């Protein structure tokens, strides 16, 4: 029995159709070597930079090096079971994280996995961790204030929505405390907050989360935690993941977002570790040549979007730790040049009890008064210059030479203003209260009071305002400016209260 050629071809077609559903086509490679959280893989010619690869045991890796004969992959999980010759599968996906409302109030890893034991995160939205920053046309100038609740910051170094303000200083000088106060102060301000902990002790992150829960800040905050115990790959990814979560609210929901990167020094160290393990050539302080780009591409994603883009904003507060107050080191100078200003916290001021320990001479906001409401701008216009002059004169006065009356008056005013700007931790102050308090200092109402009475004066004065003159606070809050009539009423009210307080304090001192 002979079979014709057309029958053979139809038989082959039938067989192919029958088995088509069972055929699996996958781009696979094999492990050449593995160790120190890095795997070398051969055979994945079509792999993309930043692509997720699947290793045995459902462990993912991220492509960082694309070389001629192999690719360098950083592993994003336990890798003790991975060995030479294991099959690696391409996923075709760039590293991405879950985003959306479901993350608010949650503690997640750098890959968006829940760490708080509150069950899975119910969201179907995802965003790539690496995303292009909005261009110049899609931005608008920073002009809307983001209040931190700290008198020293809001009056002299104002932060606007969409700004990048660096917090820099030695360890244990109050950098994290300043950022946490800013987050706590966003309660009721319609701002989503993201706190990214990079390379910190798990106990430190736990205490931050506890403080957020106590103050109610967790209701509008996402915590992204990559602790010191986790591999360098997750520390490297954490700030980009946090930024992607914030971009979802900025681009798609047109909301204002505040993100704190705590801290980028450890982030740079983790990237240096990965780069050296991948055999990339080291540069200054053994950091790779693209360490500037590491932070610039992250911080440039913060912006105040134009009205056509929805008008959302992403404000960044990166933190950098210095060694021995050296702000001219490699990473600090890099980040200073990227950001729109810096708040420098000085150890000597911190140990002298001036907290927040802000050095007003070095600290600056490159957005300036445009990120302040008019009332604060009217009150605090010369405050920064006056305080910087006071610090210089105070150093000169230590020489013990005779001083003229004007210098003595400047020193007296400076001492009282320094005392007035001190503020406890986790007690942010509404802007209308800040305006009223700073007004008393800059207009000389405190010049005759003893320096040790200033903190008590502030407490009594705010209580007096809330009980007797609430309408003044309300007017400052609503109008955001001080009219001549309002200033006249404030002068009368403060003059009367200062006389009463001064008399009461003198009697108390005698007793």
């Amino acid at each position: 029995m002979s079979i014709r050629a057309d029958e053979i071809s139809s038989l082959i077609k039938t067989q192919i159709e029958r088995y088509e559903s069972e055929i699996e086509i996958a781009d696979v490679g094999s492990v050449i070597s593995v160790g120190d959280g890095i795997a070398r893989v051969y055979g994945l010619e079509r792999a993309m930079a930043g692509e997720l690869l699947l290793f045995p045991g459902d462990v993912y890796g991220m492509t960082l090096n694309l070389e001629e004969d192999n690719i360098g992959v950083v592993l994003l999980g336990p890798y003790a079971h991975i060995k030479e010759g294991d099959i690696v599968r391409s996923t075709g996906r760039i590293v991405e994280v879950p985003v959306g409302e479901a993350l608010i109030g949650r503690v997640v890893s750098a890959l968006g996995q829940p760490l708080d034991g509150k069950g899975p995160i119910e969201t179907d939205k995802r965003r790539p961790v690496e995303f292009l920053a909005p261009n110049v046309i899609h931005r608008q100038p920073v002009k809307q204030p983001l209040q931190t609740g700290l008198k020293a910051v809001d009056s002299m170094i104002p932060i606007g929505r969409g700004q990048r303000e660096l917090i820099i200083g030695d360890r244990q000088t109050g950098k994290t405390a300043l950022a946490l106060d800013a987050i706590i102060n966003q309660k009721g301000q319609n701002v989503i907050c993201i706190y990214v902990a990079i390379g910190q002790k798990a106990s430190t992150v736990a205490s931050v989360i506890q403080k957020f829960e106590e103050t109610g800040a967790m209701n509008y905050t996402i915590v992204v935690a990559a602790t010191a115990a986790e591999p360098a790959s997750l520390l490297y990814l954490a700030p980009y993941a946090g930024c992607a979560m914030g971009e979802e609210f900025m681009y798609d929901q047109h909301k204002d977002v505040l993100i704190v990167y705590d801290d980028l020094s450890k982030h740079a160290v983790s990237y240096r570790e990965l780069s050296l393990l991948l055999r990339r050539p080291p540069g200054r302080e053994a950091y790779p040549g693209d360490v500037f780009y590491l932070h610039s591409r992250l911080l440039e994603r913060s912006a105040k979007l134009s009205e056509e883009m929805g008008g959302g904003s992403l404000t960044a507060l990166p933190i950098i730790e210095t060694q021995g107050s050296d702000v001219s080191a490699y990473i600090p100078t890099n980040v200073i040049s990227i950001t729109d200003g810096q708040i420098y916290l000085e150890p000597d001021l911190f140990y002298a009890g001036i907290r927040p320990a802000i050095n007003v001479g070095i600290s600056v906001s490159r957005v300036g008064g445009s990120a302040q409401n008019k009332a604060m701008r009217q009150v605090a216009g010369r405050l920064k210059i006056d305080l910087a002059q006071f610090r210089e004169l105070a150093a000169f006065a230590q020489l013990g030479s005779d001083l003229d009356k004007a210098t003595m008056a400047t020193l007296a005013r400076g001492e009282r203003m320094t005392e007035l700007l001190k503020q406890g931790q986790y007690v942010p102050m509404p802007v209308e209260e800040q305006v009223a308090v700073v007004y008393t200092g800059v207009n000389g109402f405190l010049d005759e009071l003893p320096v040790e009475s200033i903190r008590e004066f502030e407490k009594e004065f705010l209580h007096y305002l809330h009980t007797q003159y609430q309408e003044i606070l309300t007017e400052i809050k609503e109008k955001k400016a001080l009219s001549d009539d309002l200033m006249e009423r404030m002068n009368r009210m403060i003059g009367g209260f200062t006389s009463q307080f001064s008399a009461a304090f003198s009697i108390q001192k005698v007793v």
Side-chain angles (χ1 to χ4, degrees):
M1 180 181 167
S2 61
I3 300 174
R4 294 199 313 273
D6 58 336
E7 288 177 337
I8 293 172
S9 61
S10 66
L11 276 169
I12 293 169
K13 280 180 185 174
T14 308
Q15 293 290 335
I16 290 170
E17 285 166 5
R18 189 182 301 166
Y19 286 104
E20 198 169 35
S21 59
E22 297 173 23
I23 294 170
E24 184 185 348
I25 300 169
D27 197 1
V28 296
S30 59
V31 175
I32 301 171
S33 65
V34 62
D36 296 319
I38 301 290
R40 294 273 173 186
V41 176
Y42 172 77
L44 286 170
E45 287 89 357
R46 288 183 291 181
M48 300 176 283
E51 184 180 346
L52 269 183
L53 303 179
L54 184 60
F55 286 78
D58 286 338
V59 172
Y60 283 98
M62 182 178 71
T63 309
L64 269 192
N65 266 26
L66 299 174
E67 296 176 22
E68 195 175 348
D69 54 351
N70 69 73
I71 58 173
V73 182
V74 294
L75 297 162
L76 305 172
Y79 57 88
H81 63 283
I82 299 172
K83 59 187 184 303
E84 184 183 343
D86 280 348
I87 296 296
V88 183
R89 295 176 180 272
S90 171
T91 63
R93 293 181 4 240
I94 300 296
V95 179
E96 55 189 14
V97 287
V99 295
E101 299 277 352
L103 283 118
I104 296 175
R106 301 298 299 269
V107 183
V108 297
S109 71
L111 293 171
Q113 298 154 336
L115 300 175
D116 50 11
K118 294 179 181 175
I121 290 163
E122 306 285 345
T123 179
D124 55 353
K125 293 181 181 175
R126 302 183 78 83
R127 285 186 79 93
V129 294
E130 296 274 8
F131 192 73
L132 275 178
N135 63 35
V136 178
I137 305 302
H138 294 152
R139 297 171 185 253
Q140 62 172 304
V142 174
K143 56 181 184 289
Q144 189 182 358
L146 184 129
Q147 307 294 346
T148 63
L150 294 163
K151 290 171 287 186
V153 175
D154 292 342
S155 60
M156 296 185 291
I157 314 144
I159 299 170
R161 298 191 181 188
Q163 191 175 345
R164 299 149 300 178
E165 184 77 12
L166 173 63
I167 301 170
I168 185 169
D170 282 13
R171 64 182 301 274
Q172 298 294 312
T173 50
K175 302 185 298 298
T176 300
L178 196 153
L180 296 189
D181 275 338
I183 289 176
I184 291 166
N185 194 53
Q186 301 316 309
K187 192 172 187 177
Q189 303 292 323
N190 197 27
V191 175
I192 304 293
C193 298
I194 301 168
Y195 178 75
V196 184
I198 309 162
Q200 296 183 38
K201 291 183 294 185
S203 58
T204 306
V205 180
S207 64
V208 167
I209 294 162
Q210 186 183 354
K211 182 54 68 177
F212 283 161
E213 284 171 348
E214 285 171 12
T215 55
M218 212 62 200
N219 297 333
Y220 52 84
T221 302
I222 302 167
V223 176
V224 181
T227 59
E230 292 182 32
S233 53
L234 293 181
L235 270 63
Y236 161 73
L237 273 180
Y240 299 105
C243 193
M245 292 168 191
E247 284 173 333
E248 169 67 19
F249 296 106
M250 173 173 73
Y251 286 111
D252 293 13
Q253 299 187 26
H254 316 307
K255 289 185 176 178
D256 295 312
V257 183
L258 169 65
I259 185 163
V260 174
Y261 303 113
D262 192 7
D263 63 86
L264 291 187
S265 304
K266 294 187 183 75
H267 182 234
V269 167
S270 70
Y271 186 59
R272 175 170 65 182
E273 182 184 329
L274 292 176
S275 297
L276 292 173
L277 288 168
L278 286 164
R279 303 261 184 238
R280 291 182 177 178
R284 179 176 160 189
E285 292 179 30
Y287 287 105
D290 64 340
V291 75
F292 181 91
Y293 181 57
L294 172 79
H295 289 148
S296 65
R297 74 175 189 266
L298 170 69
L299 293 170
E300 279 297 313
R301 288 160 72 176
S302 300
K304 172 71 175 167
L305 294 180
S306 64
E307 295 303 328
E308 294 76 28
M309 293 285 288
S313 73
L314 181 63
T315 309
L317 294 180
I319 295 175
I320 288 284
E321 186 180 294
T322 53
Q323 308 288 331
S325 302
D326 183 14
V327 292
S328 63
Y330 190 29
I331 300 302
T333 49
N334 273 357
V335 183
I336 284 170
S337 65
I338 297 164
T339 49
D340 306 315
Q342 68 276 347
I343 298 169
Y344 176 60
L345 302 172
E346 195 173 325
D348 292 346
L349 295 176
F350 185 83
Y351 300 135
I354 300 169
R355 299 175 191 177
I358 297 172
N359 180 321
V360 292
I362 299 176
S363 301
V364 65
S365 170
R366 296 194 184 108
V367 172
S370 56
Q372 272 178 319
N373 71 33
K374 193 181 175 188
M376 183 61 90
R377 201 159 60 243
Q378 285 173 283
V379 169
R382 281 191 52 82
L383 180 58
K384 190 171 186 293
I385 298 166
D386 289 346
L387 269 183
Q389 284 176 346
F390 159 69
R391 294 271 159 83
E392 284 178 21
L393 284 173
F396 175 70
Q398 285 176 334
L399 299 172
S401 56
D402 290 334
L403 302 170
D404 60 83
K405 275 187 176 180
T407 306
M408 293 286 282
T410 305
L411 287 170
R413 173 83 54 95
E415 284 175 5
R416 282 152 184 79
M417 284 311 304
T418 301
E419 196 67 24
L420 193 67
L421 291 174
K422 288 181 184 177
Q423 197 166 340
Q425 194 174 349
Y426 308 132
V427 281
M429 187 183 282
V431 68
E432 62 273 15
E433 290 184 11
Q434 290 184 42
V435 169
V437 167
V438 173
Y439 187 89
T440 63
V442 295
N443 287 293
F445 289 105
L446 310 180
D447 290 359
E448 303 303 319
L449 293 178
V451 175
E452 64 271 16
S453 71
I454 300 298
R455 302 294 294 278
E456 183 65 26
F457 170 87
E458 181 190 14
K459 185 180 165 188
E460 296 286 338
F461 175 63
L462 287 174
H463 177 72
Y464 178 69
L465 265 178
H466 280 289
T467 52
Q468 306 290 327
Y469 288 93
Q470 181 63 47
E471 71 277 3
I472 287 180
L473 289 174
T474 307
E475 191 171 332
I476 295 171
K477 185 179 179 180
E478 289 175 356
K479 294 190 176 176
K480 296 183 173 61
L482 302 181
S483 62
D484 293 341
D485 173 56
L486 179 58
M487 285 195 275
E488 205 174 299
R489 280 185 287 147
M490 284 177 75
N491 289 340
R492 284 200 303 272
M493 179 267 295
I494 297 167
F497 176 78
T498 309
S499 304
Q500 289 174 24
F501 177 81
S502 186
F505 187 78
S506 303
I507 294 165
Q508 187 184 334
K509 207 169 178 186
V510 170
V511 173

